[in-house]
């Protein structure tokens, strides 16, 4: 038996129950031999994972769902997989929660969100349906999970069609409660192919009415906006969204589509406006973050998780029958009006033995870690006069590595995957550069997990995320450069407990 390579529309939309159990077992067995499987990041058991959905706290546990196509590393007919956790670190697979099995979602259970109402976790999602001419129709649906974990879909759509003047590129509802009303924000496209975010409101999710277009910028948002998410931090709205086709003069980005955010002073519900919004900014300055979902947790934190992957991009793990993962869970904070993203404090539970070292940066490469498992956390602090390069996923000769280039004198940090062994998406560039404060110390908190790297700069002031697919021998960490002092702490990290 071989993995399917030629994916037709007929195969992509074949109902799950029509796949043989033999093929599914073969697929899962093949994936277990992957050198790029992850230790402590959420990944699909088989097939393709993408958008995180329904992130919430319910029935004493953190609940999270994600879009899944379990039959291969392609965008086929989607379902929602369900995982839960008691600590935001160890996640248990609870099974497929929402199958594409109704007349309103038979061609895919698309993205959405969750909200706790009384004794239920209410899930809002987009049902995707294709007609006989393969034209899309979008329905906004509700499903309800009780405390026993049983999920039941509503029989009729919450929103049966987009408003007049909009196409059926109409998806990713976020539901939340604000000022004694329920709200729903949703990504949309006008008939003139402009990206918008629409708002609905009402006293219940069953009685929502269309309120209009959310005013958060005067600039054109490309041809579509996906994954809108509004959270409140210290009373201020922080709006996350994914504009497709955005003019790079509005916001500089290199990824095929960016994950952007703005911070505002307040949310004016009468005018549907985010008051005094900041300019658009990249949520992640690396290569592979999209479709971030955030929510205001009952413990007071604003928590977020992202899809580490991008639409319309092929990844090296596709050849092994699986694709993509989710990011670490991050806490969003505002400091002096600026958004910070920090790995949640619970992640210290992953740490095993610790090693520390310090010294000066020299042109001769210094070995910081050798023959690692590529499953670790590293903290590095550099002095104000530091210029150098950090090689992750490196072979002994540094011929192949993922490079972090830093220059505190001139205020620059960049990540470079032009020297990795298994390159991909090179048409969108092989480096990403971030401006930092000049002549200031630099702090890096780095999480490496086999084929994903998340870099938190200066206590979460910026984040750079990248998929990297090393060969077996590329497990070393080296530091080289021109000047500066450094100190480093290194922890091996245990794998996620998932049962």
């Amino acid at each position: 038996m071989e993995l399917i390579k030629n994916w037709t529309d007929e195969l992509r939309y074949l109902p799950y129950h029509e796949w043989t159990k033999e093929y599914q077992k073969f697929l899962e067995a093949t994936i277990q031999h992957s050198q790029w499987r992850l230790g402590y990041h959420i990944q699909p058991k088989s097939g393709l994972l993408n958008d995180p959905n329904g992130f919430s706290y319910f029935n004493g546990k953190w609940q999270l769902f994600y879009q899944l196509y379990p039959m291969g590393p392609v965008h086929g007919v989607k379902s929602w997989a369900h995982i839960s956790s008691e600590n935001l670190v160890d996640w248990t697979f609870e099974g497929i929660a929402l199958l594409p099995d109704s007349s309103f979602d038979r061609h895919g259970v698309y993205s959405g969100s969750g909200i706790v109402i009384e004794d239920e976790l209410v899930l809002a999602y987009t049902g995707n349906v294709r007609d006989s001419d393969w034209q899309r129709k979008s329905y906004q649906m509700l499903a309800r999970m009780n405390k026993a974990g049983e999920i039941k879909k509503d029989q009729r759509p919450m929103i049966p069609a987009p408003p007049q003047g909009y196409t059926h590129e109409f998806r990713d509802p976020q539901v939340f409660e604000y000022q004694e009303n329920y709200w729903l924000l949703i990504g949309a496209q006008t008939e003139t192919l402009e990206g918008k975010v629409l708002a609905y409101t009402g006293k219940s999710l069953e009685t929502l009415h269309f309120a209009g277009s959310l005013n958060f910028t005067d600039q054109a948002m490309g041809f579509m906006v996906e994954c809108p998410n509004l959270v409140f931090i210290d009373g201020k709205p922080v709006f996350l969204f994914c504009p497709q086709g955005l003019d790079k003069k509005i916001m500089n980005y290199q990824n095929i589509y960016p994950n952007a955010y703005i911070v505002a002073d307040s949310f004016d519900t009468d005018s549907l406006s985010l008051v005094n919004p900041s300019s658009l900014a990249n949520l992640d300055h690396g290569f592979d973050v999209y479709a971030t979902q955030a929510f205001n947790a009952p413990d007071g934190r604003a928590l977020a998780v992202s899809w580490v992957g991008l639409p319309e991009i092929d990844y090296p793990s596709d050849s092994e029958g699986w694709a993509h993962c989710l990011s670490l869970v991050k806490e969003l904070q505002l400091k002096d009006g600026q958004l910070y993203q920090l790995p949640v404090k619970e992640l210290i539970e992953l740490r095993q033995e610790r090693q520390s070292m310090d010294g000066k940066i020299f042109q001769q490469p210094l070995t910081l870690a050798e023959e690692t498992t590529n499953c670790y956390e590293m903290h590095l602090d550099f002095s104000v006069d530091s210029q150098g390069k950090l090689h992750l996923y490196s072979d002994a000769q540094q011929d192949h590595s993922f490079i972090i280039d830093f220059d505190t004198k001139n205020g620059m940090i960049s990540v470079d995957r032009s020297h990795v062994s298994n390159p991909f998406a090179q048409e969108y560039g092989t480096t990403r550069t971030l401006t930092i404060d000049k002549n200031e110390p630099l702090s890096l908190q780095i999480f490496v997990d086999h084929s994903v790297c998340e870099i938190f700069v200066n206590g979460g002031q910026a984040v750079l995320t990248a998929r990297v697919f090393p060969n077996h021998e590329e497990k070393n960490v080296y530091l080289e450069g021109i000047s500066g002092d450094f100190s480093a702490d290194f922890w091996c990290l245990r794998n996620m407990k998932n049962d």
Side-chain angles (χ1 to χ4, degrees):
M1 191 173 287
E2 294 183 349
L3 293 175
I4 294 172
K5 303 294 184 184
N6 182 26
W7 284 92
T8 63
D9 283 344
E10 184 180 10
L11 276 175
R12 290 172 190 258
Y13 287 90
L14 188 68
Y16 293 180
H17 67 270
E18 294 187 26
W19 287 85
T20 66
K21 285 185 168 46
E22 289 75 18
Y23 185 77
Q24 294 176 60
K25 288 179 180 178
F26 167 74
L27 182 59
E28 291 180 14
T30 301
I31 289 166
Q32 292 311 308
H33 297 292
S34 168
Q35 62 177 312
W36 297 316
R37 293 291 280 176
L38 304 166
Y40 56 91
H41 282 76
I42 295 162
Q43 61 192 336
K45 190 175 180 180
S46 66
L48 179 141
L49 165 156
N50 60 316
D51 301 8
N53 297 308
F55 196 12
S56 52
Y57 187 82
F58 174 69
N59 199 25
K61 291 184 178 181
W62 302 100
Q63 310 289 342
L64 182 58
F65 304 79
Y66 56 82
Q67 276 195 287
L68 173 69
Y69 178 64
M71 305 308 173
V74 296
H75 291 275
V77 59
K78 299 288 179 62
S79 56
W80 276 25
H82 179 206
I83 54 177
S84 67
S85 175
E86 295 181 351
N87 63 0
L88 294 171
V89 176
D90 301 300
W91 292 90
T92 298
F93 182 67
E94 303 287 358
I96 295 181
L98 296 175
L99 283 164
D101 59 3
S102 82
S103 58
F104 296 107
D105 61 21
R106 64 180 179 270
H107 291 102
V109 178
Y110 279 18
S111 289
S113 56
I115 185 172
V116 177
I117 301 177
E118 297 179 347
D119 291 331
E120 294 181 318
L121 174 58
V122 181
L123 305 172
Y125 69 94
T126 298
N128 183 52
V129 175
R130 300 280 188 170
D131 63 19
S132 57
D133 296 321
W134 209 241
Q135 296 300 304
R136 182 197 305 276
K137 289 190 177 180
S138 296
Y139 302 96
Q140 310 316 312
M141 308 296 297
L142 293 177
R144 303 163 196 274
M145 186 172 85
N146 63 23
K147 289 191 173 182
E150 301 163 332
I151 298 177
K152 186 176 181 180
K153 296 178 183 177
D154 282 10
Q155 295 300 305
R156 304 298 300 174
M158 168 180 53
I159 302 172
Q164 188 173 1
Y166 289 84
T167 74
H168 277 269
E169 299 291 338
F170 180 63
R171 56 183 174 269
D172 310 338
Q174 184 213 6
V175 289
F176 60 98
E177 194 172 3
Y178 185 71
Q179 294 184 350
E180 300 183 355
N181 278 323
Y182 289 98
W183 288 84
L184 180 147
L185 300 181
I186 188 165
Q189 180 188 72
T190 69
E191 290 179 347
T192 55
L193 305 186
E194 297 175 292
K196 297 287 183 181
V197 174
L198 303 185
Y200 289 73
T201 189
K203 291 298 181 183
S204 71
L205 295 182
E206 294 79 15
T207 59
L208 295 177
H209 65 269
F210 177 50
S213 175
L214 181 68
N215 299 308
F216 62 96
T217 179
D218 293 329
Q219 297 170 307
M221 290 293 100
F223 61 80
M224 178 65 191
V225 176
E226 292 191 316
C227 306
N229 263 243
L230 183 63
V231 292
F232 295 87
I233 305 174
D234 302 329
K236 293 185 178 293
V238 176
F239 184 50
L240 317 177
F241 59 103
C242 297
Q244 296 188 327
L246 181 71
D247 189 332
K248 293 183 180 179
K249 294 177 183 176
I250 296 173
M251 185 183 79
N252 186 31
Y253 66 96
Q254 288 180 262
N255 296 347
I256 181 173
Y257 304 125
N259 203 152
Y261 76 92
I262 63 167
V263 179
D265 288 340
S266 61
F267 175 31
D268 185 333
T269 58
D270 291 332
S271 63
L272 291 180
S273 299
L274 297 182
V275 178
N276 192 27
S278 65
S279 56
L280 273 66
N282 269 307
L283 185 66
D284 190 287
H285 295 271
F287 296 91
D288 296 291
V289 156
Y290 194 74
T292 299
Q293 180 160 107
F295 84 109
N296 287 107
D299 63 8
R301 292 183 290 181
L303 299 179
V305 64
S306 306
W307 172 28
V308 185
L310 286 172
E312 302 169 39
I313 300 292
D314 295 327
Y315 284 75
S317 63
D318 293 358
S319 65
E320 299 177 328
W322 70 282
H324 310 312
C325 65
L326 296 185
S327 72
L328 299 173
V329 179
K330 294 162 279 191
E331 180 182 354
L332 306 181
Q333 296 181 359
L334 287 177
K335 299 180 181 180
D336 299 322
Q338 182 178 352
L339 184 66
Y340 279 66
Q341 302 173 72
L342 298 85
V344 289
K345 59 187 178 183
E346 289 89 340
L347 287 165
I348 62 173
E349 295 183 27
L350 293 171
R351 291 176 181 172
Q352 306 293 289
E353 62 270 19
R354 173 184 174 183
Q355 296 177 325
S356 300
M357 64 187 305
D358 56 54
K360 292 190 175 294
I361 301 171
F362 295 109
Q363 289 184 341
Q364 180 67 27
L366 175 67
T367 302
L368 298 186
E370 196 169 25
E371 290 298 311
T372 74
T373 59
N374 276 339
C375 190
Y376 58 82
E377 177 187 353
M378 178 180 286
H379 290 202
L380 290 148
D381 290 295
F382 298 102
S383 60
V384 297
D385 59 344
S386 297
Q387 293 176 299
K389 293 182 180 182
L390 184 69
H391 295 262
L392 308 178
Y393 300 102
S394 182
D395 60 8
Q397 297 76 32
Q398 294 105 53
D399 290 333
H400 297 285
S401 64
F402 177 61
I403 299 170
I404 303 172
D405 196 335
F406 56 90
D407 183 345
T408 60
K409 289 182 179 180
N410 296 299
M412 181 278 297
I413 182 170
S414 69
V415 288
D416 180 355
R417 62 181 184 191
S418 63
H419 300 285
V420 301
S421 289
N422 295 280
F424 66 99
Q426 291 172 292
E427 63 269 35
Y428 299 104
T430 56
T431 61
R432 299 288 186 268
T433 300
L434 172 68
T435 300
I436 57 176
D437 291 335
K438 296 180 181 179
N439 298 311
E440 293 288 341
L442 172 64
S443 171
L444 300 179
Q445 183 178 10
I446 301 169
F447 290 86
V448 166
D449 189 1
H450 299 287
S451 62
V452 63
C453 179
E454 298 186 64
I455 304 161
F456 295 83
V457 180
N458 290 334
Q461 192 174 31
V463 185
L464 302 105
T465 302
R467 296 302 306 273
V468 182
F469 297 87
N471 288 340
H472 286 290
E473 68 277 8
E474 294 162 3
K475 297 180 177 181
N476 305 315
V477 182
Y478 300 105
L479 176 64
E480 63 171 312
I482 299 172
S483 62
D485 300 314
F486 79 94
S487 63
D489 291 308
F490 180 97
W491 293 268
C492 292
L493 300 185
R494 66 166 174 84
N495 287 347
M496 177 197 302
K497 298 173 185 175
N498 52 20
D499 52 29

